[in-house]
Amino acid sequence: MMQFILPLFVLTASCLGSPVSQTRRFPNDFLWGVGSSSYQIEGGWNADDKGESIWDFLTHTHPEKIVDQSNGDVTADSYHQWKRDVQMVKELHVGTYRFSLSWPRIMPGGYMNQVSTAGIKYYSNLIDELLRYNITPMVTIYHWELPQKLQELGGWTNPEIIPLFKDYARLVLEMYGDRVKIWTTVNEPWHVCEHGYGVDYMAPSYNYPGIPAYLCGHNLLKAHAEVVHMYRELFQPRQGGRMGITLDTSWPEPRDPNSAEDREASERAMQFYVGWFGHPIFSKHGNYPKVMIERIRNLSKEQGFGARSRLPEFTTEEIHRIRGTSDFFGINSYTSNLVTSNGHNNTGKFPIPSFNHDMGVVENQEGVDWPGSGSVWLKVYPKGMYNLLMWIHREYNAPEIIVTENGVSDRGGLEDYARVDYYNLYLSAVLDAMEDGANISGYIAWSLMDSYEWKAGFSEKFGLYHVDFNSPQRTRTPKISARVFAQLCKTNTIDWSYRPKLDDEQQLVAMAQLPAEARTSGASGAVSWSLMSILLLALLR
């Protein structure tokens, strides 16, 4: 039977846009990692002298904004279970653990006048434990956990954030820089700014379209640049590490690839999503993308804002100061969308003004036969990952790229073959890009374990490890995908034939404790797909 199945794997993967052979190999020096973020896993929201974050404030004051009215007060309890976390990272055979620091855990009010000894010690212990097992810490300085006190000053829309972020970064570089050799300043600035200020989605959930997101981005880029310059001048010469930034996007696939208008909409979407932060840092001349500057300036004038654009302007000095401030290009991506032009009649019905109206692109996943996941927005289209990586490669003159997040959700369960298939398909797309010249040096799987998924609460699971959120110990159990990913990292090889069964006693005990719908044989929770089922659908069509 196995001799018959293997070619089907190959055929199906090819149908999904990423041709594979039975096994494909990554270079021996490829960086393998797994990721998490502080608010999503730590809990201990008021442990010791930790301050309140914008996510603490949002989830406590507006629980109705979270799908299951939950919060990250305890979540996976990594504040107490961090040693088990490190064991899990070790079990996965990855060389790198990407995690983030909580600003209010280290500086409860956001200022230097109060520094938490307990917070400093927590991350120091975690870093030491990782190094004990030869695991490289990859530390994100800011992954959306702003001290609430700073938000009350306007957060990232207030230029005062620039020196405050620099103070915070200086402290963590002094505390951990001797042991941490890979840093990222900010995770997903587009989400920080547009989803935090432009729409009512991520904390602080402003829902104020078209103006504060651009102020946020302007200050964030300057803050990032100041931290990188400080690192390069004061720390890098003696600590020897590297510092970059992580951007994010879903690949905008032209709805009609033969339509020049749809191809133009795809390019415009990339300039607005990735170029907004990528262009000032990675492009040859710096500054915002030309299409952003011109569209927002012209629309601002049409909308009665006068001669002043809603997109702030950099001085010549600021353009030079920001350009080149990243040692690598971190990119997070999970899925793709189909895009077409919004047109002059605003068919997308976007608020005026707003980021989406400025961009002028309508994006959705209507009419696609891409497999689904546990998240309504996440559909499986590996070719989109290839297209994205090649776009970055071409646009920014072959920078070193690290895929800092990629993964897929389900609704729970340990037999997550859908996740196995997703990783195999998307990693095949990464290899395709590498073979076509893209300088991709590493891949960080998202995520180490099931955790708090922001507005989705605990309803969606991205983890390689299952977490029992009903257990006081928050027991962690490896899923099938954990075993497959560990094998992949150990061998540097995608092996489609490796599909282990649930045979470990610990896994079987955990399986018995799952709700009935998550125990469905071979299922990956309520939303599931498999290579065989996709193939059958393709044949039926």
Side-chain angles (χ1 to χ4, degrees):
M1 184 62 181
M2 185 58 73
Q3 290 176 335
F4 172 69
I5 290 175
L6 286 179
L8 296 186
F9 287 168
V10 176
L11 172 60
T12 308
S14 181
C15 291
L16 278 171
S18 184
V20 298
S21 59
Q22 183 181 334
T23 59
R24 295 186 75 191
R25 187 171 173 82
F26 284 84
N28 289 335
D29 61 351
F30 194 74
L31 180 155
W32 292 106
V34 65
S36 68
S37 87
S38 49
Y39 185 74
Q40 292 182 268
I41 67 167
E42 283 179 9
W45 83 273
N46 61 353
D48 299 308
D49 52 353
K50 178 186 171 290
E52 185 180 37
S53 75
I54 53 174
W55 276 93
D56 295 325
F57 182 81
L58 175 69
T59 57
H60 293 161
T61 55
H62 291 287
E64 75 281 358
K65 292 190 175 186
I66 312 302
V67 166
D68 54 7
Q69 286 83 55
S70 64
N71 56 53
D73 287 5
V74 181
T75 180
D77 194 31
S78 285
Y79 190 64
H80 299 104
Q81 308 294 337
W82 55 273
K83 282 196 173 184
R84 172 62 181 135
D85 293 354
V86 175
Q87 286 301 311
M88 287 148 54
V89 176
K90 178 175 171 280
E91 289 163 15
L92 289 171
H93 294 287
V94 298
T96 302
Y97 181 40
R98 178 178 181 250
F99 65 93
S100 69
L101 308 174
S102 166
W103 190 341
R105 192 177 297 288
I106 291 171
M107 296 165 67
Y111 289 90
M112 283 294 296
N113 69 321
Q114 187 187 2
V115 174
S116 169
T117 303
I120 294 287
K121 186 179 177 184
Y122 170 67
Y123 295 113
S124 188
N125 287 340
L126 174 60
I127 290 165
D128 285 345
E129 186 77 356
L130 289 165
L131 294 174
R132 186 179 157 203
Y133 294 104
N134 295 316
I135 298 162
T136 300
M138 182 178 190
V139 177
T140 303
I141 297 173
Y142 185 80
H143 195 132
W144 309 353
E145 268 205 272
L146 190 69
Q148 175 62 20
K149 285 292 184 187
L150 299 188
Q151 189 57 53
E152 289 164 15
L153 291 176
W156 287 97
T157 66
N158 186 341
E160 177 65 11
I161 197 75
I162 299 166
L164 293 179
F165 185 62
K166 190 176 176 182
D167 285 345
Y168 162 52
R170 179 186 286 109
L171 176 65
V172 301
L173 289 168
E174 286 172 350
M175 293 294 105
Y176 311 128
D178 60 327
R179 291 164 288 164
V180 174
K181 303 307 176 189
I182 314 178
W183 295 93
T184 48
T185 52
V186 179
N187 179 75
E188 299 185 356
W190 182 87
H191 271 83
V192 173
C193 295
E194 174 58 14
H195 268 182
Y197 296 90
V199 297
D200 180 3
Y201 196 70
M202 315 301 278
S205 192
Y206 264 33
N207 200 25
Y208 187 164
I211 296 172
Y214 298 131
L215 299 176
C216 166
H218 209 64
N219 292 328
L220 189 150
L221 279 162
K222 289 196 272 189
H224 156 82
E226 288 308 308
V227 168
V228 173
H229 281 292
M230 174 180 67
Y231 181 62
R232 288 176 176 174
E233 290 161 17
L234 302 180
F235 297 96
Q236 200 172 37
R238 69 174 191 270
Q239 293 178 351
R242 300 194 301 155
M243 183 175 283
I245 192 168
T246 281
L247 310 185
D248 75 288
T249 193
S250 300
W251 169 253
E253 182 77 9
R255 178 165 283 281
D256 178 359
N258 297 315
S259 160
E261 188 178 32
D262 287 2
R263 292 197 305 271
E264 188 180 305
S266 172
E267 176 63 22
R268 197 161 65 247
M270 285 300 293
Q271 295 292 347
F272 268 73
Y273 279 121
V274 176
W276 181 3
F277 298 96
H279 222 72
I281 297 170
F282 296 98
S283 72
K284 184 178 180 182
H285 300 292
N287 205 356
Y288 294 120
K290 186 179 178 186
V291 67
M292 273 192 88
I293 294 170
E294 292 179 352
R295 284 183 67 91
I296 298 170
R297 181 180 62 217
N298 294 339
L299 285 167
S300 296
K301 195 172 182 181
E302 284 175 27
Q303 293 155 2
F305 286 90
R308 190 173 172 214
S309 176
R310 288 177 285 106
L311 180 68
E313 290 185 23
F314 289 120
T315 65
T316 302
E317 184 184 355
E318 287 168 343
I319 289 170
H320 291 309
R321 187 136 180 95
I322 294 167
R323 192 170 64 84
T325 54
S326 193
D327 295 329
F328 55 87
F329 195 120
I331 186 70
N332 296 351
S333 192
Y334 293 82
T335 190
S336 298
N337 293 310
L338 295 181
V339 299
T340 190
S341 182
N342 187 38
H344 296 294
N345 56 353
N346 193 16
T347 53
K349 297 183 171 56
F350 300 127
I352 300 173
S354 66
F355 171 85
N356 282 320
H357 184 261
D358 291 338
M359 181 169 64
V361 174
V362 178
E363 48 191 337
N364 56 52
Q365 296 171 330
E366 292 171 8
V368 300
D369 56 0
W370 305 338
S373 69
S375 308
V376 66
W377 56 271
L378 202 171
K379 294 189 186 300
V380 182
Y381 183 65
K383 186 68 185 301
M385 176 62 89
Y386 169 84
N387 292 340
L388 171 60
L389 294 169
M390 294 308 296
W391 187 92
I392 294 169
H393 172 71
R394 291 190 304 269
E395 185 74 9
Y396 299 122
N397 193 28
E400 178 189 348
I401 301 170
I402 300 175
V403 178
T404 38
E405 282 182 31
N406 178 238
V408 71
S409 62
D410 57 31
R411 294 297 175 126
L414 298 177
E415 291 183 293
D416 58 341
Y417 293 104
R419 184 168 286 109
V420 171
D421 297 339
Y422 179 97
Y423 279 125
N424 285 342
L425 288 164
Y426 273 71
L427 281 165
S428 290
V430 170
L431 264 178
D432 291 342
M434 292 171 69
E435 289 170 1
D436 287 345
N439 179 19
I440 305 161
S441 64
Y443 177 95
I444 313 288
W446 188 269
S447 59
L448 175 59
M449 64 190 126
D450 295 338
S451 59
Y452 187 77
E453 288 302 328
W454 311 110
K455 291 294 282 285
F458 294 104
S459 65
E460 300 171 6
K461 321 287 188 185
F462 279 83
L464 292 163
Y465 281 74
H466 165 266
V467 177
D468 183 354
F469 293 106
N470 296 314
S471 158
Q473 291 76 35
R474 297 301 195 267
T475 308
R476 288 99 153 100
T477 308
K479 303 178 187 180
I480 293 290
S481 60
R483 294 174 59 187
V484 175
F485 193 68
Q487 176 79 356
L488 204 157
C489 297
K490 191 177 180 180
T491 62
N492 289 318
T493 302
I494 302 171
D495 184 354
W496 287 85
S497 68
Y498 183 56
R499 297 179 78 77
K501 297 255 189 298
L502 208 61
D503 55 6
D504 182 89
E505 185 179 340
Q506 184 189 18
Q507 287 180 317
L508 292 170
V509 168
M511 191 73 168
Q513 295 168 345
L514 292 174
E517 63 270 20
R519 290 201 304 268
T520 308
S521 178
S524 189
V527 181
S528 175
W529 58 280
S530 69
L531 286 170
M532 193 62 75
S533 62
I534 296 166
L535 178 63
L536 289 172
L537 284 170
L539 291 174
L540 287 171
R541 282 198 299 272

